[in-house]
Amino acid sequence: MPLLSWRVCGNGLLLMMLCLMSSAAMADDVAVLDWRKALLDTDAAQQDMAELRDRLAPRQQEAQALGEELERLSLRLAEGGESLDDAEGRALVQEMQQKGQRFDQLRLEMARARQESEQRFLDRLEPGMDQAVNEVIARHQVKVLVDPSGVLHSEDDLPDLTAEVTAVLNAQ
C-alpha cells in the first residue's frame, strides 16, 4: 500500500487540509511536488520527446510550407481581387481551401501523435512514479504532499520535492 498517492483528488480538499494544519506543522510535514514537471524532466521523457520530434519533423515541415503557401495565396487574392477574372479567383479560393484542409489534417495528426505518445509515456512511468514519490516522502517524512497549483498561500517556503523525484525516476 503506497504511503501517499501522487494523484491530486481536488484543490478543495487540499485547501481544507492546509487550513486545518498549524503553520509549524506545515513547515515540517508539507511539501510540494509538481509531478508533471518531475516526469517531463526525466531522461526518458527527454528521449521520448526527441524521438517524437524526429518522427513528426516531415509533417511539421509540410505544415509549415502549407502555412507559407496559404499566406502567399491569401495575399495574392487580396492584392489582385478586382484584376482576377472569376475563374482565376475561384481557382485560387479552391486551392486555398484544399491546402487549408491539408494543413488542418496535419495539425490534427500531429496533435493526436503527441497525445498518444504522452499517454504511452505516462502509462510506462506511472508505476515508477508511485515508487519514486513514496520513496522521497518517506525520506523527508512528509505527511501532506501538494501540487504547486493547489497552494494558495504559505507563510513558509514549502520544500519542493520535484527535482528529487525526477532524480529517483532517472535512477530507476
Side-chain angles (χ1 to χ4, degrees), residues 127-162:
M129 182 65 164
D130 286 338
Q131 179 185 349
V133 169
N134 288 321
E135 180 181 321
V136 171
I137 63 173
R139 183 179 312 135
H140 293 278
Q141 299 178 339
V142 171
K143 293 181 181 166
V144 177
L145 188 62
V146 295
D147 188 87
S149 65
V151 179
L152 297 178
H153 173 74
S154 175
E155 291 288 321
D156 301 315
D157 286 337
L158 298 175
D160 187 346
L161 305 180
T162 304

Side-chain angles (χ1 to χ4, degrees), residues 4 6-7 33-40 42 122 124-136 145 162 165-166 168-169 172:
L4 179 68
W6 59 275
R7 291 173 194 85
L33 172 66
D34 184 340
W35 65 269
R36 289 169 197 87
K37 182 173 177 14
L39 282 173
L40 293 176
T42 62
L122 291 174
R124 191 176 79 235
L125 257 61
E126 186 175 359
M129 182 65 164
D130 286 338
Q131 179 185 349
V133 169
N134 288 321
E135 180 181 321
V136 171
L145 188 62
T162 304
V165 169
T166 299
V168 172
L169 285 168
Q172 290 179 344

Side-chain angles (χ1 to χ4, degrees), residues 3-169:
L3 295 173
L4 179 68
S5 177
W6 59 275
R7 291 173 194 85
V8 177
C9 296
N11 287 342
L13 178 61
L14 289 174
L15 185 58
M16 184 176 73
M17 288 174 23
L18 286 173
C19 290
L20 294 175
M21 298 169 51
S22 70
S23 62
M26 283 179 61
D28 295 334
D29 299 339
V30 178
V32 175
L33 172 66
D34 184 340
W35 65 269
R36 289 169 197 87
K37 182 173 177 14
L39 282 173
L40 293 176
D41 285 352
T42 62
D43 296 338
Q46 297 302 315
Q47 183 178 348
D48 280 7
M49 285 188 276
E51 289 171 5
L52 179 64
R53 274 192 301 274
D54 291 346
R55 249 187 20 249
L56 294 180
R59 287 186 237 167
Q60 182 67 38
Q61 291 169 350
E62 183 183 354
Q64 185 174 352
L66 280 169
E68 291 169 2
E69 180 67 13
L70 283 167
E71 285 182 37
R72 188 186 63 75
L73 290 171
S74 178
L75 185 62
R76 184 171 167 215
L77 189 61
E79 287 177 350
E82 290 185 22
S83 64
L84 297 174
D85 64 33
D86 286 344
E88 191 177 9
R90 281 193 302 274
L92 269 176
V93 169
Q94 183 178 11
E95 184 179 0
M96 285 180 64
Q97 288 173 340
Q98 289 171 345
K99 290 181 187 279
Q101 287 173 350
R102 176 63 182 152
F103 181 81
D104 290 341
Q105 178 186 7
L106 285 169
R107 281 189 24 234
L108 287 172
E109 288 174 6
M110 288 186 294
R112 191 175 310 119
R114 276 189 208 99
Q115 246 179 350
E116 290 169 357
S117 179
E118 182 179 305
Q119 189 59 51
R120 281 191 306 273
F121 173 77
L122 291 174
D123 291 345
R124 191 176 79 235
L125 257 61
E126 186 175 359
M129 182 65 164
D130 286 338
Q131 179 185 349
V133 169
N134 288 321
E135 180 181 321
V136 171
I137 63 173
R139 183 179 312 135
H140 293 278
Q141 299 178 339
V142 171
K143 293 181 181 166
V144 177
L145 188 62
V146 295
D147 188 87
S149 65
V151 179
L152 297 178
H153 173 74
S154 175
E155 291 288 321
D156 301 315
D157 286 337
L158 298 175
D160 187 346
L161 305 180
T162 304
E164 192 171 343
V165 169
T166 299
V168 172
L169 285 168

